[in-house]
Protein backbone atom coordinates (compact mmCIF):
# COMPACT_ATOMS: atom_id res chain seq x y z
CA UNK A 1 0.00 0.00 0.00
CA UNK A 2 3.03 2.25 -0.45
CA UNK A 3 1.49 4.87 -2.78
CA UNK A 4 1.46 8.46 -1.55
CA UNK A 5 -1.24 11.03 -2.30
CA UNK A 6 -0.68 14.78 -1.83
CA UNK A 7 -3.61 17.19 -1.53
CA UNK A 8 -3.57 20.98 -1.47
CA UNK A 9 -6.43 22.12 0.76
CA UNK A 10 -8.85 25.01 0.34
CA UNK A 11 -10.49 24.24 -3.01
CA UNK A 12 -14.27 23.73 -2.74
CA UNK A 13 -15.64 20.96 -4.97
CA UNK A 14 -18.16 21.90 -7.66
CA UNK A 15 -19.66 19.85 -10.50
CA UNK A 16 -20.88 16.31 -10.90
CA UNK A 17 -19.47 12.86 -10.20
CA UNK A 18 -20.66 9.48 -11.55
CA UNK A 19 -20.65 6.66 -9.02
CA UNK A 20 -19.12 3.31 -10.00
CA UNK A 21 -20.42 -0.18 -9.29
CA UNK A 22 -20.42 -1.35 -5.68
CA UNK A 23 -17.15 -2.96 -4.55
CA UNK A 24 -18.96 -5.12 -1.99
CA UNK A 25 -21.49 -6.36 -4.54
CA UNK A 26 -18.93 -6.93 -7.30
CA UNK A 27 -16.63 -8.99 -5.08
CA UNK A 28 -19.34 -11.40 -3.91
CA UNK A 29 -20.84 -11.73 -7.40
CA UNK A 30 -17.40 -12.58 -8.79
CA UNK A 31 -17.20 -15.43 -6.25
CA UNK A 32 -20.79 -16.55 -6.89
CA UNK A 33 -20.23 -16.71 -10.66
CA UNK A 34 -18.03 -19.81 -10.29
CA UNK A 35 -21.23 -21.68 -9.38
CA UNK A 36 -22.53 -21.62 -12.98
CA UNK A 37 -21.05 -23.47 -15.95
CA UNK A 38 -20.33 -21.18 -18.89
CA UNK A 39 -19.68 -17.45 -19.28
CA UNK A 40 -21.11 -15.02 -16.79
CA UNK A 41 -20.86 -11.35 -17.76
CA UNK A 42 -20.97 -8.72 -15.02
CA UNK A 43 -21.62 -5.07 -15.91
CA UNK A 44 -20.62 -2.08 -13.78
CA UNK A 45 -17.76 -3.87 -11.99
CA UNK A 46 -15.41 -1.14 -10.71
CA UNK A 47 -11.77 -1.28 -11.84
CA UNK A 48 -10.29 -1.21 -8.34
CA UNK A 49 -7.42 -3.11 -6.71
CA UNK A 50 -9.67 -5.45 -4.73
CA UNK A 51 -11.37 -6.49 -7.98
CA UNK A 52 -7.97 -7.05 -9.58
CA UNK A 53 -6.92 -9.29 -6.67
CA UNK A 54 -10.22 -11.18 -6.95
CA UNK A 55 -9.48 -11.70 -10.66
CA UNK A 56 -6.06 -13.10 -9.78
CA UNK A 57 -7.65 -15.50 -7.30
CA UNK A 58 -10.20 -16.59 -9.94
CA UNK A 59 -7.44 -17.16 -12.53
CA UNK A 60 -5.41 -19.07 -9.96
CA UNK A 61 -8.30 -21.54 -9.38
CA UNK A 62 -8.67 -22.08 -13.13
CA UNK A 63 -11.34 -19.51 -14.02
CA UNK A 64 -10.84 -17.55 -17.25
CA UNK A 65 -11.65 -13.83 -16.93
CA UNK A 66 -11.68 -11.01 -19.51
CA UNK A 67 -12.41 -7.32 -19.40
CA UNK A 68 -14.55 -6.85 -22.52
CA UNK A 69 -14.51 -3.88 -24.90
CA UNK A 70 -17.72 -2.54 -23.36
CA UNK A 71 -16.17 -2.53 -19.89
CA UNK A 72 -18.02 -5.62 -18.68
CA UNK A 73 -16.19 -8.50 -16.97
CA UNK A 74 -16.48 -12.05 -18.35
CA UNK A 75 -16.00 -14.94 -15.93
CA UNK A 76 -15.75 -18.50 -17.29
CA UNK A 77 -15.18 -21.31 -14.78
CA UNK A 78 -13.76 -24.53 -16.29
CA UNK A 79 -16.49 -27.16 -17.00
CA UNK A 80 -14.99 -29.73 -14.65
CA UNK A 81 -15.14 -27.38 -11.65
CA UNK A 82 -12.55 -25.05 -10.16
CA UNK A 83 -9.46 -25.93 -8.17
CA UNK A 84 -10.80 -26.14 -4.64
CA UNK A 85 -7.97 -24.25 -2.94
CA UNK A 86 -7.39 -20.51 -3.16
CA UNK A 87 -3.81 -19.23 -3.15
CA UNK A 88 -2.64 -18.39 0.37
CA UNK A 89 -0.75 -15.25 -0.66
CA UNK A 90 -3.60 -13.84 -2.74
CA UNK A 91 -6.43 -14.71 -0.34
CA UNK A 92 -4.64 -12.95 2.51
CA UNK A 93 -4.83 -9.71 0.54
CA UNK A 94 -8.55 -9.25 0.98
CA UNK A 95 -11.38 -10.29 3.28
CA UNK A 96 -13.74 -11.07 0.40
CA UNK A 97 -11.61 -14.10 -0.51
CA UNK A 98 -13.55 -15.93 2.21
CA UNK A 99 -16.59 -15.76 -0.05
CA UNK A 100 -15.14 -18.57 -2.15
CA UNK A 101 -16.03 -20.82 0.79
CA UNK A 102 -19.78 -20.76 0.19
CA UNK A 103 -19.41 -20.62 -3.60
CA UNK A 104 -17.07 -23.64 -3.77
CA UNK A 105 -19.11 -25.70 -1.28
CA UNK A 106 -22.20 -24.87 -3.32
CA UNK A 107 -20.56 -25.77 -6.57
CA UNK A 108 -18.43 -28.79 -5.74
CA UNK A 109 -18.80 -29.64 -2.06
CA UNK A 110 -15.21 -28.92 -1.11
CA UNK A 111 -13.09 -25.83 -0.39
CA UNK A 112 -9.71 -25.00 1.11
CA UNK A 113 -9.59 -21.31 1.89
CA UNK A 114 -6.86 -19.45 3.72
CA UNK A 115 -8.06 -17.39 6.69
CA UNK A 116 -8.84 -14.05 5.02
CA UNK A 117 -6.81 -10.86 5.37
CA UNK A 118 -8.15 -7.38 4.61
CA UNK A 119 -8.18 -4.18 6.61
CA UNK A 120 -7.24 -4.51 10.29
CA UNK A 121 -10.42 -2.99 11.68
CA UNK A 122 -11.01 -5.88 14.01
CA UNK A 123 -10.38 -9.59 14.55
CA UNK A 124 -12.68 -10.44 11.60
CA UNK A 125 -13.65 -13.91 12.96
CA UNK A 126 -15.38 -16.55 10.85
CA UNK A 127 -17.42 -18.28 13.57
CA UNK A 128 -20.81 -17.34 12.09
CA UNK A 129 -19.72 -18.47 8.61
CA UNK A 130 -18.58 -21.81 10.07
CA UNK A 131 -21.73 -22.29 12.16
CA UNK A 132 -23.96 -21.77 9.11
CA UNK A 133 -21.98 -23.92 6.68
CA UNK A 134 -21.72 -26.72 9.24
CA UNK A 135 -25.51 -26.59 9.70
CA UNK A 136 -25.85 -27.15 5.94
CA UNK A 137 -23.78 -30.31 6.20
CA UNK A 138 -20.17 -29.21 5.72
CA UNK A 139 -17.34 -30.34 7.96
CA UNK A 140 -14.88 -27.48 8.56
CA UNK A 141 -11.45 -27.79 10.14
CA UNK A 142 -9.09 -24.87 10.87
CA UNK A 143 -5.44 -25.79 10.40
CA UNK A 144 -2.21 -23.93 9.59
CA UNK A 145 -4.15 -20.78 8.65
CA UNK A 146 -6.43 -22.63 6.27
CA UNK A 147 -10.12 -23.59 6.54
CA UNK A 148 -10.59 -27.14 5.17
CA UNK A 149 -14.27 -27.54 4.26
CA UNK A 150 -16.01 -30.60 2.81
CA UNK A 151 -19.69 -31.48 2.48
CA UNK A 152 -20.31 -34.71 4.37
CA UNK A 153 -24.08 -34.89 4.06
CA UNK A 154 -25.97 -32.01 2.48
CA UNK A 155 -29.02 -30.98 4.47
CA UNK A 156 -31.21 -27.91 4.47
CA UNK A 157 -31.13 -26.09 7.80
CA UNK A 158 -32.58 -23.22 9.78
CA UNK A 159 -29.68 -20.95 10.80
CA UNK A 160 -29.83 -18.13 13.33
CA UNK A 161 -27.01 -15.55 12.99
CA UNK A 162 -26.00 -14.11 16.37
CA UNK A 163 -24.94 -11.00 14.46
CA UNK A 164 -26.29 -10.04 10.99
CA UNK A 165 -22.90 -10.65 9.39
CA UNK A 166 -22.76 -9.64 5.70
CA UNK A 167 -20.15 -12.22 4.72
CA UNK A 168 -21.71 -15.04 6.73
CA UNK A 169 -25.13 -14.32 5.17
CA UNK A 170 -23.53 -14.37 1.71
CA UNK A 171 -21.57 -17.61 2.24
CA UNK A 172 -24.61 -19.39 3.67
CA UNK A 173 -26.84 -18.14 0.86
CA UNK A 174 -24.45 -19.42 -1.81
CA UNK A 175 -24.07 -22.87 -0.29
CA UNK A 176 -27.80 -23.15 0.49
CA UNK A 177 -28.64 -22.22 -3.13
CA UNK A 178 -27.36 -25.67 -4.15
CA UNK A 179 -28.38 -27.58 -0.98
CA UNK A 180 -31.54 -29.72 -1.51
CA UNK A 181 -34.53 -28.62 0.58
CA UNK A 182 -35.53 -25.29 2.12
CA UNK A 183 -32.97 -23.48 4.29
CA UNK A 184 -33.73 -20.40 6.37
CA UNK A 185 -31.37 -17.70 7.59
CA UNK A 186 -32.68 -15.77 10.60
CA UNK A 187 -31.27 -12.41 11.68
CA UNK A 188 -29.74 -12.21 8.18
CA UNK A 189 -27.82 -9.14 7.03
CA UNK A 190 -30.09 -6.72 5.06
CA UNK A 191 -27.46 -4.69 3.17
CA UNK A 192 -28.25 -3.80 -0.47
CA UNK A 193 -25.30 -5.97 -1.50
CA UNK A 194 -27.13 -8.99 0.00
CA UNK A 195 -30.17 -8.17 -2.15
CA UNK A 196 -27.91 -7.84 -5.20
CA UNK A 197 -26.43 -11.29 -4.52
CA UNK A 198 -29.92 -12.79 -4.10
CA UNK A 199 -31.08 -11.18 -7.36
CA UNK A 200 -28.00 -12.50 -9.15
CA UNK A 201 -28.46 -16.05 -7.77
CA UNK A 202 -32.15 -16.01 -8.74
CA UNK A 203 -31.17 -14.74 -12.17
CA UNK A 204 -28.96 -17.85 -12.40
CA UNK A 205 -31.94 -20.06 -11.47
CA UNK A 206 -31.71 -20.16 -7.69
CA UNK A 207 -34.74 -19.78 -5.41
CA UNK A 208 -33.89 -17.14 -2.78
CA UNK A 209 -36.70 -15.23 -1.07
CA UNK A 210 -36.72 -12.47 1.51
CA UNK A 211 -33.29 -10.92 0.89
CA UNK A 212 -33.27 -7.43 2.40
CA UNK A 213 -35.32 -8.61 5.37
CA UNK A 214 -33.95 -10.47 8.38
CA UNK A 215 -35.43 -13.80 7.24
CA UNK A 216 -34.11 -15.30 3.99
CA UNK A 217 -35.54 -18.57 2.65
CA UNK A 218 -33.53 -20.55 0.09
CA UNK A 219 -34.88 -23.56 -1.84
CA UNK A 220 -31.89 -25.57 -3.14
CA UNK A 221 -31.68 -26.21 -6.90
CA UNK A 222 -29.53 -28.64 -8.90
CA UNK A 223 -27.99 -26.25 -11.36
CA UNK A 224 -27.22 -22.57 -11.74
CA UNK A 225 -26.94 -21.10 -15.23
CA UNK A 226 -24.66 -18.23 -16.32
CA UNK A 227 -25.97 -14.93 -17.63
CA UNK A 228 -25.38 -11.20 -17.83
CA UNK A 229 -26.01 -9.02 -14.78
CA UNK A 230 -25.34 -5.39 -13.80
CA UNK A 231 -24.29 -4.75 -10.22
CA UNK A 232 -25.70 -1.92 -8.08
CA UNK A 233 -23.92 1.44 -7.62
CA UNK A 234 -21.60 1.87 -4.63
CA UNK A 235 -23.48 3.58 -1.79
CA UNK A 236 -20.27 4.08 0.22
CA UNK A 237 -18.43 5.71 -2.68
CA UNK A 238 -21.51 7.94 -3.15
CA UNK A 239 -21.58 8.85 0.55
CA UNK A 240 -17.89 9.70 0.46
CA UNK A 241 -18.39 12.22 -2.37
CA UNK A 242 -21.46 13.64 -0.64
CA UNK A 243 -19.34 14.38 2.43
CA UNK A 244 -16.57 15.75 0.19
CA UNK A 245 -19.04 18.38 -1.06
CA UNK A 246 -20.15 19.25 2.48
CA UNK A 247 -16.66 19.45 4.02
CA UNK A 248 -15.08 21.43 1.14
CA UNK A 249 -17.89 24.06 1.13
CA UNK A 250 -18.88 23.14 -2.40
CA UNK A 251 -21.85 21.77 -4.28
CA UNK A 252 -21.81 18.41 -6.09
CA UNK A 253 -24.34 16.38 -8.07
CA UNK A 254 -23.72 12.68 -7.30
CA UNK A 255 -25.05 10.63 -10.23
CA UNK A 256 -25.83 6.93 -10.77
CA UNK A 257 -27.10 6.18 -7.28
CA UNK A 258 -30.06 4.34 -5.71
CA UNK A 259 -31.59 6.95 -3.35
CA UNK A 260 -32.98 4.63 -0.75
CA UNK A 261 -29.54 3.06 -0.22
CA UNK A 262 -28.38 6.49 0.93
CA UNK A 263 -31.10 7.48 3.39
CA UNK A 264 -29.00 7.11 6.58
CA UNK A 265 -26.22 9.22 5.03
CA UNK A 266 -28.62 11.88 3.68
CA UNK A 267 -30.28 12.18 7.08
CA UNK A 268 -26.99 12.70 8.93
CA UNK A 269 -25.65 15.18 6.37
CA UNK A 270 -28.83 17.26 6.65
CA UNK A 271 -28.56 17.22 10.45
CA UNK A 272 -24.98 18.44 10.04
CA UNK A 273 -26.26 21.46 8.12
CA UNK A 274 -25.77 20.46 4.48
CA UNK A 275 -28.57 20.98 1.94
CA UNK A 276 -29.27 17.63 0.28
CA UNK A 277 -31.95 17.03 -2.32
CA UNK A 278 -32.81 14.39 -4.89
CA UNK A 279 -33.16 15.27 -8.57
CA UNK A 280 -33.92 12.88 -11.40
CA UNK A 281 -30.19 12.80 -12.17
CA UNK A 282 -29.07 11.93 -8.68
CA UNK A 283 -28.46 13.62 -5.36
CA UNK A 284 -27.25 17.22 -4.98
CA UNK A 285 -25.28 18.08 -1.85
CA UNK A 286 -24.63 21.76 -1.08
CA UNK A 287 -22.48 22.63 1.90
CA UNK A 288 -24.19 24.60 4.66
CA UNK A 289 -22.54 27.83 5.82
CA UNK A 290 -21.45 25.91 8.88
CA UNK A 291 -21.14 22.28 9.97
CA UNK A 292 -23.43 21.39 12.89
CA UNK A 293 -22.43 18.80 15.51
CA UNK A 294 -24.38 15.51 15.27
CA UNK A 295 -24.32 12.16 17.07
CA UNK A 296 -23.82 9.03 14.97
CA UNK A 297 -24.22 5.34 15.87
CA UNK A 298 -23.06 2.83 13.27
CA UNK A 299 -25.37 -0.15 12.87
CA UNK A 300 -26.04 -2.94 10.37
CA UNK A 301 -28.18 -1.76 7.42
CA UNK A 302 -30.46 0.19 7.40
CA UNK A 303 -28.57 1.92 10.23
CA UNK A 304 -25.74 4.35 9.58
CA UNK A 305 -23.04 2.34 7.76
CA UNK A 306 -19.78 1.57 9.58
CA UNK A 307 -18.03 2.11 6.22
CA UNK A 308 -19.01 5.79 6.43
CA UNK A 309 -17.89 6.28 10.04
CA UNK A 310 -14.37 7.59 9.37
CA UNK A 311 -15.63 9.95 6.67
CA UNK A 312 -18.23 11.36 9.09
CA UNK A 313 -15.53 11.84 11.72
CA UNK A 314 -13.52 13.99 9.30
CA UNK A 315 -16.57 16.18 8.66
CA UNK A 316 -17.46 16.51 12.34
CA UNK A 317 -13.87 17.53 13.20
CA UNK A 318 -14.90 20.93 11.80
CA UNK A 319 -18.37 21.16 13.38
CA UNK A 320 -19.39 24.08 15.63
CA UNK A 321 -19.59 22.06 18.84
CA UNK A 322 -19.13 18.51 20.12
CA UNK A 323 -20.27 15.35 18.33
CA UNK A 324 -20.27 11.73 19.40
CA UNK A 325 -19.69 8.68 17.21
CA UNK A 326 -20.39 5.17 18.52
CA UNK A 327 -18.97 2.30 16.43
CA UNK A 328 -21.19 -0.72 17.03
CA UNK A 329 -20.09 -2.99 14.16
CA UNK A 330 -16.30 -3.38 14.38
CA UNK A 331 -14.29 -3.42 17.57
CA UNK A 332 -11.32 -1.47 16.29
CA UNK A 333 -12.33 1.13 13.76
CA UNK A 334 -10.98 4.36 15.24
CA UNK A 335 -7.42 4.27 13.83
CA UNK A 336 -8.31 7.40 11.84
CA UNK A 337 -8.40 9.39 15.10
CA UNK A 338 -4.62 9.62 15.57
CA UNK A 339 -4.19 10.73 11.97
CA UNK A 340 -6.90 13.41 12.14
CA UNK A 341 -5.32 14.66 15.38
CA UNK A 342 -2.07 15.25 13.48
CA UNK A 343 -4.15 17.61 11.32
CA UNK A 344 -5.39 19.48 14.39
CA UNK A 345 -8.63 17.63 15.13
CA UNK A 346 -9.69 17.32 18.79
CA UNK A 347 -11.02 13.79 19.37
CA UNK A 348 -11.19 11.57 22.46
CA UNK A 349 -11.84 7.82 22.28
CA UNK A 350 -13.36 5.75 25.08
CA UNK A 351 -13.88 2.13 23.92
CA UNK A 352 -16.48 2.16 21.14
CA UNK A 353 -17.26 5.84 21.62
CA UNK A 354 -15.42 8.86 20.26
CA UNK A 355 -16.14 12.48 21.16
CA UNK A 356 -15.19 15.02 18.51
CA UNK A 357 -14.81 18.63 19.59
CA UNK A 358 -15.07 20.71 16.43
CA UNK A 359 -12.15 23.04 15.59
CA UNK A 360 -11.91 26.16 13.41
CA UNK A 361 -9.78 24.46 10.77
CA UNK A 362 -7.54 21.50 10.05
CA UNK A 363 -3.91 21.84 8.98
CA UNK A 364 -2.13 19.87 6.28
CA UNK A 365 0.17 17.16 7.69
CA UNK A 366 1.92 13.92 6.78
CA UNK A 367 -0.60 11.20 7.68
CA UNK A 368 -1.05 7.46 7.08
CA UNK A 369 -4.02 5.55 5.74
CA UNK A 370 -4.70 2.59 8.04
CA UNK A 371 -7.58 1.09 6.06
CA UNK A 372 -9.63 1.85 2.97
CA UNK A 373 -12.26 4.09 4.54
CA UNK A 374 -9.85 5.84 6.93
CA UNK A 375 -7.77 6.66 3.86
CA UNK A 376 -10.82 8.16 2.17
CA UNK A 377 -11.51 10.20 5.30
CA UNK A 378 -7.98 11.62 5.22
CA UNK A 379 -8.61 12.80 1.69
CA UNK A 380 -11.74 14.55 2.96
CA UNK A 381 -9.70 16.25 5.70
CA UNK A 382 -7.02 17.18 3.19
CA UNK A 383 -9.56 18.81 0.87
CA UNK A 384 -10.28 21.48 3.47
CA UNK A 385 -7.07 21.60 5.55
CA UNK A 386 -4.85 24.65 5.34
CA UNK A 387 -1.78 23.75 3.28
CA UNK A 388 -0.70 20.40 1.93
CA UNK A 389 -1.65 16.97 3.28
CA UNK A 390 0.54 13.98 2.41
CA UNK A 391 -1.25 10.64 2.74
CA UNK A 392 1.04 7.61 2.95
CA UNK A 393 -0.20 4.07 2.27
CA UNK A 394 -2.72 5.64 -0.10
CA UNK A 395 -2.81 2.27 -1.85
CA UNK A 396 -5.55 1.31 0.62
CA UNK A 397 -7.77 3.94 -0.99
CA UNK A 398 -7.27 2.58 -4.49
CA UNK A 399 -8.59 -0.77 -3.25
CA UNK A 400 -12.13 0.59 -3.18
CA UNK A 401 -12.47 3.88 -5.06
CA UNK A 402 -12.39 3.69 -8.87
CA UNK A 403 -10.56 6.64 -10.53
CA UNK A 404 -10.69 8.66 -7.33
CA UNK A 405 -7.92 11.05 -8.42
CA UNK A 406 -9.61 11.78 -11.75
CA UNK A 407 -13.05 12.15 -10.14
CA UNK A 408 -11.82 14.54 -7.42
CA UNK A 409 -9.66 16.57 -9.85
CA UNK A 410 -12.66 16.96 -12.17
CA UNK A 411 -14.51 18.46 -9.18
CA UNK A 412 -11.74 20.99 -8.56
CA UNK A 413 -9.55 19.23 -6.00
CA UNK A 414 -5.77 19.76 -6.28
CA UNK A 415 -4.08 16.34 -5.96
CA UNK A 416 -0.58 15.16 -6.77
C1 LIG B 1 -18.49 -6.61 4.87
O1 LIG B 1 -17.44 -7.17 5.64
C2 LIG B 1 -17.86 -5.53 4.01
N1 LIG B 1 -16.85 -6.13 3.15
C3 LIG B 1 -17.22 -4.46 4.91
O2 LIG B 1 -16.75 -3.43 4.06
C4 LIG B 1 -18.29 -3.88 5.84
O3 LIG B 1 -17.69 -2.96 6.73
C5 LIG B 1 -18.96 -5.00 6.63
O4 LIG B 1 -19.48 -5.99 5.72
C6 LIG B 1 -20.10 -4.50 7.50
O5 LIG B 1 -21.04 -3.85 6.70
C7 LIG B 1 -17.25 -6.82 2.04
O6 LIG B 1 -18.44 -6.93 1.75
C8 LIG B 1 -16.16 -7.40 1.20
P1 LIG B 1 -19.41 -8.63 8.78
P2 LIG B 1 -17.70 -8.51 6.52
O7 LIG B 1 -19.22 -10.10 8.67
O8 LIG B 1 -18.63 -9.40 5.79
C9 LIG B 1 -18.47 -9.79 13.23
C10 LIG B 1 -15.18 -1.91 3.21
O9 LIG B 1 -14.55 -0.93 3.65
N2 LIG B 1 -18.41 -11.18 12.76
O10 LIG B 1 -20.78 -8.05 8.57
O11 LIG B 1 -16.39 -9.03 6.92
C11 LIG B 1 -17.24 -9.02 12.76
O12 LIG B 1 -16.16 -9.24 13.64
C12 LIG B 1 -15.34 -3.17 4.04
O13 LIG B 1 -15.73 -1.94 2.07
C13 LIG B 1 -18.33 -12.21 13.70
O14 LIG B 1 -18.30 -11.97 14.90
O15 LIG B 1 -18.43 -7.88 7.78
C14 LIG B 1 -17.69 -7.60 12.78
O16 LIG B 1 -17.53 -7.07 14.08
C15 LIG B 1 -14.72 -2.99 5.42
N3 LIG B 1 -18.26 -13.49 13.27
C16 LIG B 1 -19.19 -7.70 12.46
O17 LIG B 1 -19.55 -9.09 12.63
C17 LIG B 1 -18.31 -13.82 11.92
O18 LIG B 1 -18.27 -15.02 11.58
C18 LIG B 1 -19.52 -7.31 11.03
O19 LIG B 1 -18.80 -8.15 10.18
C19 LIG B 1 -18.40 -12.77 10.98
C20 LIG B 1 -18.46 -11.46 11.42
Amino acid sequence: MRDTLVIEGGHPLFGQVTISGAKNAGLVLMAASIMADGETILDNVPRIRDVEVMIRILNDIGVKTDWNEDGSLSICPPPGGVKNQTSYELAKLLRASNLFLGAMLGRQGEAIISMPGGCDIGTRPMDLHIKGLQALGADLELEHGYIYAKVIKSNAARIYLDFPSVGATENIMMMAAKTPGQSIIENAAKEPEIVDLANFLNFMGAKVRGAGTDIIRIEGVNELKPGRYAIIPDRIEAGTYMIAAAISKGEVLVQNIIPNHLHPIVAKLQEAGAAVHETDQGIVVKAGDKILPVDVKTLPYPGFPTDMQSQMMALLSLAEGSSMIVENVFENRFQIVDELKRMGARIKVEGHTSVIEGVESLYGARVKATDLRAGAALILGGLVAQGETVIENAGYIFRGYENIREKLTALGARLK
Side-chain angles (χ1 to χ4, degrees), residues 392-408:
E392 289 171 347
N393 292 356
Y396 273 115
I397 304 166
F398 306 133
R399 290 182 51 174
Y401 286 90
E402 186 177 50
N403 299 333
I404 186 164
R405 282 165 289 198
E406 295 79 0
K407 291 187 181 184
L408 284 172

Side-chain angles (χ1 to χ4, degrees), residues 245-261:
I247 199 171
S248 68
K249 306 185 184 59
E251 179 169 356
V252 175
L253 164 64
V254 182
Q255 291 178 305
N256 185 35
I257 44 109
I258 297 174
N260 67 10
H261 291 174

Side-chain angles (χ1 to χ4, degrees), residues 23-25 27-28 50 94-99 116-117 119 121-131 161-170 189 191 193 234-236 299-301 305-308 311 327-333 371-374 399-401:
K23 166 175 87 81
N24 293 345
L27 295 177
V28 65
D50 275 8
L94 88 164
R95 169 86 180 169
S97 57
N98 68 3
L99 297 169
C119 297
I121 50 183
T123 49
R124 316 295 295 268
M126 294 277 294
D127 55 308
L128 299 176
H129 298 244
I130 291 166
K131 169 181 173 181
L161 290 180
D162 309 40
F163 182 90
S165 154
V166 170
T169 303
E170 291 169 342
E191 275 69 3
E193 292 75 27
D234 195 313
R235 61 198 166 97
I236 305 300
L299 285 166
Y301 195 84
T306 173
D307 291 347
M308 286 298 303
Q311 299 91 313
E327 170 59 54
N328 292 308
V329 176
F330 285 102
E331 69 270 31
N332 175 24
R333 199 167 198 175
D371 67 78
L372 158 60
R373 306 301 173 186
R399 290 182 51 174
Y401 286 90

Side-chain angles (χ1 to χ4, degrees), residues 26 29-30 33 40-45 67 71-75 200 227-231:
L29 265 61
M30 287 168 76
S33 55
T40 288
I41 299 179
L42 296 178
D43 287 299
N44 214 20
V45 177
W67 287 106
S72 61
L73 177 65
S74 280
I75 299 171
F200 178 58
R228 179 158 197 158
Y229 186 85
I231 66 174

Side-chain angles (χ1 to χ4, degrees), residues 183-236:
S183 298
I184 298 177
I185 307 173
E186 290 179 312
N187 197 25
K190 300 185 268 196
E191 275 69 3
E193 292 75 27
I194 300 285
V195 177
D196 217 23
L197 173 60
N199 291 340
F200 178 58
L201 288 172
N202 288 338
F203 180 68
M204 289 160 61
K207 293 197 177 78
V208 181
R209 300 287 172 269
T213 73
D214 42 15
I215 303 220
I216 302 179
R217 296 173 198 287
I218 304 122
E219 184 73 39
V221 295
N222 286 331
E223 191 200 356
L224 293 175
K225 290 183 279 313
R228 179 158 197 158
Y229 186 85
I231 66 174
I232 53 171
D234 195 313
R235 61 198 166 97
I236 305 300

